[in-house]
């Protein structure tokens, strides 16, 4: 069965080529600096991947090398993937065994959950009261592992999904359509890594899947934004004017909600929006922008957390409050896009679950991006995001 609830990690082809070229030039052709200190970083990728994403690697490496806070910074990355680890009997395999042994307790808690209770909060309470349980041992092991690292990265994914047992009230089984028992493992260890980083004061970069995990941890709502349709009779399309002078946004729903180029579906296109002011030079009055290359099925929606240390930094371009209309919608003929007809707009508006949708937030030490700022490190000003995170990681004692 096709797995629709996921965050696509397919990298744009040009981005991969340029990232690889820049890394090669930076690490091979340039003189090697005398590094004074190393920022050890834990990376949680898709479970089908044994390496981190090249664009993320390049972004952090470059920001460390050019850091104005401390000269001679280097980054060292370690991958946490217990499915593909080369450590046959090491800590990663041990953690996976604990998680597999504890899955039945997750199902049991969900089946007995009461109105107003949240599954992850019940799991954490049980860990505290039953320190010898399999999940408590996994949680402790991840906390111990994270102590050796100053930064946590949770990447976007393709195979791995955030299991709906954690956010959908109707789901009470391990195997449900697109999701499998392994997705419960992955969701748990992602949440446990976040818990460890928060408790230890370590900065976290979460993109797409990583952001959704953080939003769930903070108590936010997650929903599927459109129904799982394999083939649409009428292609859902929607046109809107970009508020900041970028090309017309053409939104589509296929297996994902996205604004990719309609002629080249591998091209995410350009959705130019201001970089938040917390990164130094962004905001409406500045000249710093980010590309909101959204490509997802899950939405970070209501309830939006109102707890301490949680701040929404930006909303999705299609986010609407109750009773609000999209003033940037283009109706009638769309110049250059004859495929966007009234029937396509009707199909789109019927399929999409409108409401408040968060696409960037800060919670404790986490920056959670629904989109992928690493893709525009050089072409826009999103290098400021990685400069910020490197500075925070360098400050960890």
């Amino acid at each position: 069965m096709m797995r629709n609830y996921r965050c696509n990690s397919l990298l744009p082809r040009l981005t991969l080529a340029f990232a690889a070229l820049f890394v090669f030039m930076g690490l091979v052709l340039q003189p090697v600096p005398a590094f004074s200190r190393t920022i050890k970083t834990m990376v949680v990728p898709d479970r089908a991947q044994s390496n981190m994403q090249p664009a993320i690697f390049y972004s952090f490496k470059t920001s460390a090398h050019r850091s104005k806070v401390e000269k001679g910074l280097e980054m060292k990355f370690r991958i946490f993937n217990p499915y593909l680890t080369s450590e046959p009997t090491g800590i990663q395999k041990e953690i996976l065994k604990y998680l597999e042994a504890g899955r039945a307790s997750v199902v049991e808690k969900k089946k007995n959950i009461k109105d107003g209770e949240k599954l992850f909060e019940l799991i954490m309470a049980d860990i505290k009261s039953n320190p010898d349980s399999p999940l408590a041992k996994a949680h402790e092991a991840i906390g111990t592992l994270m102590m050796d690292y100053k930064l946590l990265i949770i990447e976007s994914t393709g195979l791995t999904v955030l299991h709906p047992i954690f956010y959908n009230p109707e789901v009470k089984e391990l195997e449900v359509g697109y999701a499998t028992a392994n997705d419960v493992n992955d969701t748990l260890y992602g949440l446990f890594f976040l818990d460890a980083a928060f408790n230890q004061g370590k900065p976290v970069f979460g993109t797409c899947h990583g952001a959704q995990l953080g939003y769930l941890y903070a108590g936010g709502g997650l929903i599927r934004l459109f129904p799982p349709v394999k083939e649409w009779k009428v292609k859902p399309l929607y046109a809107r004017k970009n508020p900041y002078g970028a090309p017309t946004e053409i939104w589509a729903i296929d297996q994902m909600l996205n604004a990719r180029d309609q002629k080249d579906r591998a091209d995410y296109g350009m959705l130019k929006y201001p970089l938040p002011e917390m990164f130094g030079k962004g905001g409406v009055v500045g000249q710093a922008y980010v590309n909101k290359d959204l490509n997802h099925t899950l939405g970070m929606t209501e309830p939006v957390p109102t707890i301490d240390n949680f701040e929404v930094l930006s909303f999705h371009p299609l986010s609407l409050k109750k009773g609000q209309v999209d003033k940037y919608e283009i109706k009638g003929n769309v110049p250059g896009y004859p495929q966007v007809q009234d029937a396509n707009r009707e199909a789109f508006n019927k399929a999409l679950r409108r409401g408040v949708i968060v696409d960037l937030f800060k919670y404790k030490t986490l920056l959670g991006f629904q989109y992928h700022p690493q893709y525009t490190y050089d072409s826009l000003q999103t290098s400021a995001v990685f400069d910020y995170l490197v500075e925070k990681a360098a400050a960890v004692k």
Side-chain angles (χ1 to χ4, degrees):
M1 177 174 291
M2 185 166 295
R3 298 160 59 84
N4 292 318
Y5 281 63
R6 66 187 182 214
C7 181
N8 196 327
S9 63
L10 177 65
L11 300 177
R13 293 174 291 185
L14 286 177
T15 300
L16 275 173
F18 280 116
L21 176 61
F22 286 135
V23 169
F24 176 77
M25 292 176 65
L27 300 182
V28 180
L29 300 183
Q30 299 298 321
V32 179
F35 298 117
S36 64
R37 198 155 65 91
T38 298
I39 298 175
K40 295 177 65 177
T41 303
M42 178 62 71
V43 182
V44 180
D46 183 281
R47 69 170 175 269
Q49 302 298 322
S50 57
N51 295 302
M52 68 186 298
Q53 295 177 15
I56 296 178
F57 173 87
Y58 167 74
S59 296
F60 277 105
K61 278 278 193 178
T62 305
S63 283
H65 289 176
R66 72 178 196 183
S67 173
K68 296 179 181 179
V69 177
E70 182 177 338
K71 292 184 179 180
L73 283 178
E74 176 61 304
M75 304 289 296
K76 184 176 182 180
F77 303 100
R78 180 182 180 183
I79 302 297
F80 182 87
N81 184 343
Y83 302 96
L84 298 179
T85 180
S86 59
E87 307 167 358
T89 59
I91 186 63
Q92 296 199 26
K93 290 292 186 183
E94 183 179 356
I95 289 171
L96 183 59
K97 289 180 180 179
Y98 287 144
L99 294 170
E100 290 173 340
R103 285 189 310 223
S105 69
V106 174
V107 174
E108 187 66 21
K109 285 180 177 60
K110 185 60 180 286
K111 288 181 176 179
N112 294 294
I113 201 166
K114 299 176 182 178
D115 290 343
E117 293 181 330
K118 295 183 181 297
L119 179 59
F120 181 59
E121 292 178 356
L122 294 176
I123 291 171
M124 294 302 290
D126 187 66
I127 285 173
K128 187 176 181 178
S129 59
N130 295 287
D132 292 327
S133 68
L135 292 187
K137 291 179 179 179
H139 179 265
E140 181 182 14
I142 287 173
T144 301
L145 184 61
M146 190 64 210
M147 290 182 69
D148 289 334
Y149 299 87
K150 296 181 179 297
L151 175 67
L152 173 64
I153 297 171
I154 303 182
E155 296 186 335
S156 54
T157 60
L159 177 64
T160 302
V161 304
L162 202 162
H163 200 289
I165 198 170
F166 288 91
Y167 62 85
N168 187 332
E170 304 302 319
V171 175
K172 300 180 181 180
E173 302 293 340
L174 294 177
E175 305 286 339
V176 52
Y178 54 87
T180 70
N182 282 341
D183 293 311
V184 173
N185 302 335
D186 304 348
T187 301
L188 285 169
Y189 68 64
L191 291 168
F192 290 171
F193 266 111
L194 284 174
D195 191 61
F198 292 155
N199 289 335
Q200 296 169 24
K202 312 287 179 64
V204 185
F205 173 63
T207 175
C208 210
H209 178 73
Q212 292 165 5
L213 281 169
Y215 200 75
L216 175 70
Y217 184 107
L222 292 165
I223 61 169
R224 195 181 205 286
L225 293 172
F226 55 90
V229 177
K230 290 185 178 181
E231 292 187 19
W232 298 89
K233 293 181 180 179
V234 177
K235 188 173 185 178
L237 296 172
Y238 181 84
R240 71 190 302 270
K241 179 182 177 181
N242 180 271
Y244 302 98
T248 298
E249 299 176 10
I250 304 298
W251 289 86
I253 296 175
D254 37 46
Q255 300 306 313
M256 301 278 176
L257 170 65
N258 61 77
R260 290 179 290 175
D261 190 312
Q262 294 300 301
K263 296 179 181 179
D264 182 1
R265 303 302 286 156
D267 185 355
Y268 280 86
M270 178 61 71
L271 273 67
K272 186 173 75 172
Y273 284 80
L275 188 68
E277 292 184 8
M278 67 170 288
F279 299 113
K281 57 182 180 179
V284 175
V285 297
Q287 299 298 316
Y289 294 93
V290 65
N291 180 25
K292 293 192 174 184
D293 56 334
L294 296 148
N295 191 36
H296 59 127
T297 58
L298 279 183
M300 299 186 292
T301 58
E302 295 178 303
V304 177
T306 57
I307 56 177
D308 291 343
N309 298 316
F310 186 93
E311 179 184 4
V312 175
L313 298 179
S314 69
F315 290 94
H316 195 289
L318 299 179
S319 177
L320 290 175
K321 296 180 181 179
K322 187 175 181 179
Q324 188 180 20
V325 297
D326 185 359
K327 63 181 180 180
Y328 296 104
E329 179 183 2
I330 300 174
K331 298 180 180 180
N333 294 328
V334 183
Y337 299 94
Q339 66 269 46
V340 183
Q341 299 293 319
D342 288 342
N344 305 102
R345 274 187 284 267
E346 182 180 355
F348 186 94
N349 287 323
K350 183 178 180 180
L352 184 66
R353 296 182 64 174
R354 287 287 196 174
V356 171
I357 309 173
V358 174
D359 66 14
L360 171 59
F361 67 92
K362 184 177 185 296
Y363 176 53
K364 295 188 177 182
T365 60
L366 164 69
L367 284 176
F369 295 82
Q370 182 62 69
Y371 48 91
H372 314 84
Q374 65 270 20
Y375 294 161
T376 49
Y377 185 92
D378 293 305
S379 57
L380 292 177
Q381 292 83 19
T382 49
S383 58
V385 171
F386 300 93
D387 294 345
Y388 172 90
L389 287 162
V390 167
E391 179 180 346
K392 293 297 182 183
V396 174
K397 301 301 182 182

